[in-house]
Amino acid sequence: MFTQPRTSPLVFGLCAAALLGLAALSVLTGAGRIAPGQVVDYLLGARGDEHLEMVVATLRLPRTLAAVVVGAALGVSGMLLQSVTRNPLAETGLLGVNSGAALGVVVGIVYAGAQTGGAYLVWALGGAFAATGVVLLLGSRFSPLKLLLAGAALSATLTGITSALLVADPVTFDQYRFWVLGSLAGVPLERVLTVLPAILAGLGMAALAARPLAALSLGDDVAVTLGHRPGRVRITVTVAVTLLSAAAVAVAGPVGFLGLLAGYVARTVLRGRIGPQIALSGLAGAVVLLGSDVLARVVIRPYEAPVSLLIAVLGAPVLIVVARSRAVAAGAGDLIAEKSSRGRGILRSRTRGTGGSAPRPSDALPVRLGAFSVLLPLRSSTAAVLLAGLAAAAGVVAITAGQSAMTAGQALNALLGTGEGGQVLLVQQIRLPRIVAGLTAGAALGLSGCLTQALARNRLATPDMLGINQGAVIAVMLAGLTSSAATLFEHWWTGPLGALVAAVVVFGISGGIGTRGYRFIITGLAVTTLAGALVQSLLAWRGLSAATAVHAWTVGSLTGRGYPVALPVAAGLAVLLPAALALARRLAVLRFDEDVSAGLGVSPRTTRLLILALAVVLAGLGIGIGGPIAFVALAAPVIAARLSGPARLPLIGAPLTGAALVVTADTVGRVVADGAEIPAGVVTSILGGPFLLWTLLSDRR
C-alpha cells in the first residue's frame, strides 16, 4: 500500500509555506537601514523615499526572485540527472556541468565581452551542454561512485582551462572571484527575466520526461515495451539539464551541492513516483537556496557570507551519507573478500619453493661486497636511473626555455658562472632556484601519492583526492591571512599541520585508515569541495593585487619560489625518503589481510599510522612550496609503477617522476602563452583530468 497520496499534499504544503516565509524574510532582511514596518508599508502601496524604493524594489525583490528561480532550476536539474543515470550522487556541480557552464561564461567575457544576462546564458548553454553530454556518456559505463570521480576529473579539466584564462586576464579574474562564490547580491531583475524563458522551458521538459524516466528506471527493455524511447528520453533530459543549469549559472554563478541536497530530500520524503520527486526537488532547492541566502546576510553582519560556502557546509555531510548508503556501496565494487583471498594466494605462490624457502625474484641480481650481499632489483633500478635522467633533462630544458632563450651550452656556462652577466643572473638567481623548488615539490608529492595509494590499495587514494592538499592550502592561507602575498609563502611550514587535520577528518569520518573501496575517497572529495569554497571566500576577502598573486598559488604555481622554501623541504625529504624506504617491507606486507600481516610480524595499525604520517607531512611540505599542483600525486606513482614493475613499490621512481612532471609542467606554463605565465597546477589539471578518466576506465576492479 502506498502512503504517498496522503503524505504528498502535506509535504508540498509545508515546503510551500516554508518558501513563502523565507521569501517574506528575504524581503525584510538585508543591507540598508530600513525597518521591517517600512518595507511592509511600501509593499502595501504606501509611498516611500528613493532609498526605500532602491533597497526594496531594486535589491531585495530581484534577489528573492533570483534565489527562488535558481534554487528550483538546480534542484530539478539534479533530480533529473540522478534519475537518468540511476545514481543518487549525480549533481550538476559535482559532475562538472556547472564547471562547463562557468567556463562558457568566462570564455564569453574574455573573448566576446559578454556582460548581460542574455550573453551569459548563451555562453553558459554551450559549456553546460558539452559537459552534460560527457556526463551522460560516462553514466552508462561507471558505477555511482566512479561516475562521481569521473565528474571530478571533468570538473578539474574545465576548471583548469578556466584558471588559465583568468591568470591571463586580471580584470576578468576580479569579476570572476566574486561571481564564482554563487552570490545573489546585486543580481538585477533584468538578468532574472532574461533567463526565465530558458528555466520555464527546462521545467516543462522535466515535466514531460517524468513518466518516461519512471519507465527507464525499470530498464531500457521495459521502457521500450511500455512505448518509450530511451535515446529520446536521454536527449530530452540532456537539453533540460543544460537549460536549467546554464540559466542558474548565468544568474548566480556555479552553486554546488544544491541538486544533491534537493534530490536527497525528495527521495527521502517521497519514495514513490519520479514525477512528484522532481516537483519536490524544485521546491526543496528553492527553499535551501533562499534560506542560505537569508542566513548569509545575517551570520556575519554587516558583511555577507558566501552562499556557496553555506550550501557546501550542508551538502558535504549529505554527500558522505549518500556515498555510505547501501545502494551506492553495492555498485562500488568493493571486492574486499576477493582482494584478501588474492593476497593469500600471492603469499602462497611467493613462499612456495625448494625446502619451503622463498625463491629469489627473477629480476634481482645478487651483489656481494665481502661478507655483505644484497639483491639488486634490475628492473626497478633501471627505471630509477631512467627517471632520474628524465628529471635532469626536464631541469636542463627548464633552464634554457623561456623568453630569453639560450642554447644548452650557454645555459651550462651560465650555470658555472662563466657566461654573460645577464645569462648568469637569469640562470643562477631566477631559474635555478625555481627549478630546485619544482624538483623538491614534485618529489614530495610523488612520494606522498605513492604511500597513500599503497596504504589504501587504491590508485585514486592520493592527497589531492582525499582533501589533504586543500587542508594544507587553507592552513597556509589562514596563517598568512593578514600578510601580503609576498610574505604568505613564509608560512609554508603550516602546510603539514593543515594536511594532518584534513587527514584526521577524512579517515575519521570514513571509518579508519584501513578503509577500502571508494567511500573514503568520496569523503575526501566532500572535504575538498568544502575547502575549495572556503579558499574562494578567502580570495574574495583579499584585495585584487594580493588575490591575483595568491590565486596562482592556490591552483599550483612556482612563481617567486626559490631556495628559502625549497631547501628546508629538501632537507625534510632527505629524512622522510629513507624513513619510507625503511618501512617499505612492512608496507608491502599490508597488501595481504591483517591476519597474514600479523603472522609475518607486522602490526597493521602501527604501520598504517606511520605511513599516513609520512604521506601527510610530505604532501604538506610539497604544497607549502608550490601549492596544490593537481594530479602529480596520482600520475607519478602510476607511471613509475608501469616502468619498475608490480613486484615492488616505486618509492624511488615515484618522487623522481613527480619531480620531472612538476618541472615540465612549470616550463610548459612559462612558454606556451605569449606574454603570460600559466601556473604549473593549471597545466597538470588540464592534462590530469583525462589521466584520471583513463585510470577509472582501466581499473577493472
Side-chain angles (χ1 to χ4, degrees), residues 319-359:
L319 173 61
I320 296 171
V321 169
V322 176
R324 294 171 65 92
S325 64
R326 292 183 179 180
V328 174
D334 193 3
L335 307 179
I336 298 178
E338 180 181 341
K339 289 181 181 179
S340 299
S341 62
R342 185 182 302 155
R344 289 191 291 269
I346 294 174
L347 178 63
R348 286 192 297 269
S349 65
R350 289 185 177 180
T351 57
R352 187 185 301 121
T354 305
S357 61

Side-chain angles (χ1 to χ4, degrees), residues 253-346:
V255 179
F257 281 121
L258 191 54
L260 178 72
L261 279 168
Y264 177 75
V265 170
R267 289 192 313 275
T268 302
V269 177
L270 299 178
R271 298 182 179 273
R273 294 174 297 169
I274 292 180
Q277 290 180 0
I278 293 176
L280 183 60
S281 65
L283 271 176
V287 169
V288 171
L289 183 56
L290 186 57
S292 300
D293 186 53
V294 172
L295 184 62
R297 301 180 226 173
V298 300
V299 66
I300 55 172
R301 296 186 71 174
Y303 305 102
E304 281 195 19
V307 68
S308 62
L309 179 59
L310 296 179
I311 294 178
V313 171
L314 297 174
V318 172
L319 173 61
I320 296 171
V321 169
V322 176
R324 294 171 65 92
S325 64
R326 292 183 179 180
V328 174
D334 193 3
L335 307 179
I336 298 178
E338 180 181 341
K339 289 181 181 179
S340 299
S341 62
R342 185 182 302 155
R344 289 191 291 269
I346 294 174

Side-chain angles (χ1 to χ4, degrees), residues 52-227:
L52 177 63
E53 182 176 359
M54 180 194 69
V55 171
V56 177
T58 307
L59 297 179
R60 295 185 183 177
L61 283 176
R63 182 171 187 165
T64 302
L65 178 61
V68 173
V69 169
V70 171
L74 291 177
V76 171
S77 64
M79 191 66 211
L80 288 175
L81 271 181
Q82 293 163 20
S83 300
V84 75
T85 60
R86 305 174 197 171
N87 185 352
L89 294 174
E91 194 264 337
T92 55
L94 296 174
L95 296 185
V97 178
N98 286 0
S99 297
L103 174 59
V105 172
V106 171
V107 169
I109 294 174
V110 173
Y111 293 105
Q115 295 294 330
T116 64
Y120 279 11
L121 176 61
V122 171
W123 286 98
L125 280 173
F129 183 79
T132 304
V134 173
V135 166
L136 293 182
L137 178 63
L138 296 175
S140 61
R141 306 192 61 178
F142 286 152
S143 65
L145 292 179
K146 279 193 173 184
L147 178 61
L148 188 60
L149 296 173
L154 176 63
S155 181
T157 298
L158 297 175
T159 303
I161 299 173
T162 302
S163 299
L165 296 175
L166 294 175
V167 169
D169 191 343
V171 176
T172 303
F173 169 70
D174 188 32
Q175 182 179 353
Y176 175 83
R177 66 192 179 110
F178 295 101
W179 175 76
V180 76
L181 295 176
S183 176
L184 295 167
V187 174
L189 181 62
E190 292 78 12
R191 182 176 298 178
V192 180
L193 296 178
T194 300
V195 303
L196 192 58
I199 292 179
L200 292 177
L203 295 177
M205 298 179 72
L208 293 176
R211 286 176 60 100
L213 279 175
L216 203 62
S217 64
L218 303 175
D220 287 6
D221 295 337
V222 176
V224 172
T225 303
L226 295 176

